[in-house]
Amino acid sequence: MPVTAPPAEETDVLRRQDPEIADVLLGEARRQADGLQLIAGENFTSPAVLAALGSPLANKYAEGYPGNRYHGGCEYADAAERIAVRRATALFGAAHANVQAHSGSSAVLAAYAALLKPGDTVLAMGLGHGGHLTHGSPANFSGRWFDFVPYGVDAETGLVDHEQVAALARHHRPKAIVCGSVSYPRHLDHAVFRAIADEVGAYLIADAAHPIGLVAGGAAPNPVPYADVVCATTHKVLRGPRGGMILCGEELAERIDRAVFPFTQGGAQMHTIAAKAVAFGEASTPAFSAYAHQVVTHARVLASALEAEGFAVTTGGTDTHLVTADPAPLGVDGRTARARLAAAGIVLDTCALPYGDGRGIRLGTAAVTTQGMGIPEMARIAALFGLALRDDGAEAARVRAEVRELTGGFPPYGR
Ligand SMILES: *Cc1c(COP(=O)(O)O)cnc(C)c1O
């Protein structure tokens, strides 16, 4: 689904006034168009989302919530936020949405602030098995302020070990259980997590930062009916502006809102909220649903083509936009693979391998699908992976040229 170019005048104004920064932005736009963008949490927003982000709503202070602000002149800020909330609640079937969270991490921070006290025990996926920094990393507020107990995936299947989750919950009696991951390629079973949380009297927090866009398009199960609080981002598969969102039932609405503002944040970023509203509007269309299903199809095709190239694909495939794999059978570890692929213009991340040595690679198909690539391109991408990684990267220049040729046919913002 290629989109058209952002308006040229915007960049012309910047170029006349500040050519140094204009060059940086142009360089980044070219970099995005020129390489294969396979970072799992990235996407290309529409020009309409970019227009909202670059609008004068960026100038507005609007601490508080619609109808109850600390500042005057909020009539349009209120309208933007009411529209965003209305669209988000309708899209995800939630009673309440907070669209002010600045990011996915801010959303999780606010969820913990609403439900927990410092020192409380929380059960979450271990970082080495796919948990996010906010799921108990010692480098993050979560690991410093709460007592995290990690659960993991099964050594044989790579799937979440529900027996272990239940046993840990019974033993540690956590105040909250977090389900969500940065790299788990399969659907989580929210009903199972709900049953475990109910058995031990814990809150269930779904951190759906990655799959929420698939949920919007009906291509992944919705955590909203099961979780007490759903945290999400708006910039991954959902294809909106960089930002966060929290969904919950009516009974927690006020606690969640107060945990965002004034507890953990100040003034809302109203231009981003307007852009979130635009993205929710786009995500409510049949075209977006078709997109979300294509993203999953493409990830499945890419996963099996990578397996044919020799990669050890985690869980043997995917249900989502995410693919994780160990490139060890090709004679490289994840870090070397990432560097060699980057040299060829293929951009992705490394990830933890729960039971392997070293690191694996993690990629997603959201951005390339937005560009309009299809099943034939997924097969071509997997072949380029093999070429780039075998023979000590001797084919790097050839792969770089082929990546340019491939991406040249799918400009993300038109020609
Ligand atoms: C991406 C992600 C986040 C964080 O989002 P940011 O906007 O980068 O703060 C949190 N949790 C999970 C599971 C994620 O995948």
Side-chain angles (χ1 to χ4, degrees):
M1 169 188 320
V3 288
T4 51
E9 339 53 283
E10 306 267 341
T11 42
D12 289 349
V13 168
L14 185 61
R15 175 148 302 282
R16 277 197 298 278
Q17 179 183 320
D18 193 335
E20 194 177 9
I21 279 293
D23 278 346
V24 171
L25 300 191
L26 185 62
E28 172 61 11
R30 286 196 179 130
R31 186 197 68 78
Q32 289 183 18
D34 198 43
L36 276 168
Q37 307 307 330
L38 294 169
I39 289 179
E42 290 187 355
N43 209 334
F44 295 106
T45 64
S46 69
V49 166
L50 291 182
L53 278 176
S55 74
L57 207 46
N59 302 328
K60 188 69 196 99
Y61 238 119
E63 285 178 322
Y65 289 96
N68 185 21
R69 304 281 191 186
Y70 288 76
H71 310 276
C74 285
E75 53 271 29
Y76 294 103
D78 282 4
E81 185 163 349
R82 285 199 173 106
I83 295 167
V85 168
R86 170 167 43 81
R87 291 183 183 172
T89 50
L91 186 56
F92 299 106
H96 182 71
N98 183 301
V99 295
Q100 291 194 9
H102 294 327
S103 69
S105 299
S106 305
V108 177
L109 170 59
Y112 295 168
L115 303 180
L116 308 173
K117 289 192 185 58
D120 277 348
T121 300
V122 185
L123 188 57
M125 194 179 277
L127 266 63
H129 286 227
H132 183 255
L133 284 166
T134 53
H135 302 173
S137 163
N140 183 265
F141 75 89
S142 55
R144 186 87 65 83
W145 294 345
F146 303 103
D147 183 13
F148 270 84
V149 176
Y151 61 81
V153 297
D154 182 80
E156 287 297 308
T157 61
L159 302 177
V160 169
D161 184 346
H162 293 134
E163 301 290 313
Q164 185 204 28
V165 177
L168 288 170
R170 285 178 200 126
H171 186 255
H172 293 278
R173 314 296 294 188
K175 189 82 177 289
I177 299 176
V178 179
C179 63
S181 167
V182 298
S183 57
Y184 191 64
R186 298 294 179 173
H187 295 319
L188 290 168
D189 193 332
H190 303 116
V192 169
F193 274 96
R194 177 76 262 170
I196 296 169
D198 283 345
E199 189 193 323
V200 301
Y203 288 112
L204 180 61
I205 301 172
D207 185 357
H210 266 285
I212 197 75
L214 299 176
V215 174
N222 189 354
V224 166
Y226 299 97
D228 296 290
V229 176
V230 175
C231 300
T233 63
T234 51
H235 52 273
K236 296 182 179 177
V237 187
L238 191 53
R239 211 161 60 186
R242 186 157 296 283
M245 170 176 62
I246 308 173
L247 304 166
C248 65
E250 214 41 80
E251 65 294 349
L252 289 176
E254 204 184 324
R255 271 159 83 183
I256 287 291
D257 282 353
R258 278 208 233 115
V260 175
F261 174 86
F263 196 74
T264 59
Q265 290 188 179
Q269 306 208 348
M270 295 316 306
H271 57 311
T272 306
I273 289 173
K276 287 173 184 175
V278 173
F280 297 144
E282 292 174 357
S284 313
T285 61
F288 188 88
S289 175
Y291 163 75
H293 286 88
Q294 270 171 15
V295 164
V296 175
T297 301
H298 292 166
R300 289 206 169 117
V301 170
L302 192 48
S304 62
L306 287 172
E307 205 151 58
E309 285 289 334
F311 290 81
V313 173
T314 316
T315 76
T318 182
D319 295 333
T320 65
H321 62 299
L322 274 166
V323 179
T324 64
D326 187 352
L330 284 81
V332 288
D333 72 350
R335 285 182 216 280
T336 309
R338 183 178 68 176
R340 280 196 199 154
L341 291 166
I346 301 172
V347 188
L348 46 62
D349 294 316
T350 66
C351 65
L353 287 173
Y355 295 99
D357 299 325
R359 292 180 73 77
I361 55 168
R362 180 190 68 151
L363 57 95
T365 51
V368 291
T369 303
T370 296
Q371 279 175 278
M373 292 192 195
I375 289 170
E377 285 73 33
M378 298 306 121
R380 209 170 150 196
I381 290 170
L384 291 173
F385 270 60
L387 261 183
L389 297 187
R390 290 209 176 81
D391 308 323
D392 294 333
E395 299 284 352
R398 185 180 142 205
V399 179
R400 185 73 193 89
E402 284 200 33
V403 166
R404 280 223 169 84
E405 198 215 64
L406 174 58
T407 55
F410 299 93
Y413 289 102
R415 274 169 231 279

